Amino acid sequence: MRIYLIGYMGCGKSTLGRRLSEHLNLQFIDMDHYIEMRNHRTIPQIFAEEGEAEFRNKERKALEELSEFTDIVVATGGGAPCFFDNIDLMNRSGKTIYINIDPAILADRLLNSKIERPLIKGKSKDELVAFIDETLKKRNHFYKQAKFEITQPDIDLSEIEKLISWKSNPMQ
Ligand code: S3P
């Protein structure tokens, strides 16, 4: 059993992932945290020292490793499904759930977040809204390939269970 939560930065993947993992008695893994542990550096350090392209290589490698773990809920990085054939790998190895949140809400959440995110560092609210609009246009194509989609991260967990009806297909 593997569940991948995907969606834009700030959509609530980690919070939902923790709740869902407890509810289903699975291990929770935050993919960014996993990359940091494996590389002994923080995400901002990797971006600053090696650039985004190398971060994406490390992200792909992390995904390849995680796709062999069993009984996990993974909160993926916001860009993870949008590079290489990562979304295919996720769909092949588990159940993918896209948390589709309104861009204006994403912008508010990101402005209030304490997590350092290299791609949006230092942006004003207007710049952030424009950046979200622009990147979502490119990313939606990948996010929409998720097997399931929800529109709020604080969804009732039994609703998710029903949605993915995991008991009927325990192989994934
Ligand atoms: C990124 C999202 C981040 C992190 C990195 C790049 C992105 O993860 O992987 O800063 O490209 O959207 P979160 O979605 O957990 O913030």
Side-chain angles (χ1 to χ4, degrees), residues 7-10 13-14 30 32 35 43 47 52 55-56 59 75-80 83 110 115-119 139 143:
Y8 205 80
M9 292 177 266
K13 292 163 292 196
S14 297
D30 181 290
D32 283 343
I35 295 169
I43 302 294
F47 268 81
E52 181 175 352
F55 170 74
R56 298 301 171 194
E59 187 175 56
T76 65
F83 291 84
L110 288 170
I115 298 170
E116 192 182 331
R117 294 177 166 98
L119 292 179
R139 291 185 173 190
Y143 292 155

Side-chain angles (χ1 to χ4, degrees), residues 4-6 31-32 35 52-67 74 76-96 139 141-143 145-147:
Y4 300 101
L5 299 178
I6 71 171
M31 197 169 164
D32 283 343
I35 295 169
E52 181 175 352
E54 185 47 34
F55 170 74
R56 298 301 171 194
N57 289 335
K58 290 180 173 16
E59 187 175 56
R60 167 65 186 198
K61 186 153 191 307
L63 179 61
E64 284 171 2
E65 292 175 8
L66 293 174
S67 68
V74 184
T76 65
C82 315
F83 291 84
F84 308 102
D85 67 340
N86 290 353
I87 186 66
D88 296 329
L89 176 53
M90 289 188 231
N91 277 331
R92 280 199 307 274
S93 59
K95 294 179 187 293
T96 45
R139 291 185 173 190
H141 163 73
F142 298 96
Y143 292 155
Q145 292 177 51
K147 289 181 192 159

Side-chain angles (χ1 to χ4, degrees), residues 30-42:
D30 181 290
M31 197 169 164
D32 283 343
H33 189 236
Y34 182 82
I35 295 169
E36 293 184 330
M37 294 296 113
R38 293 287 277 117
N39 294 282
H40 311 287
R41 264 168 303 159
T42 65

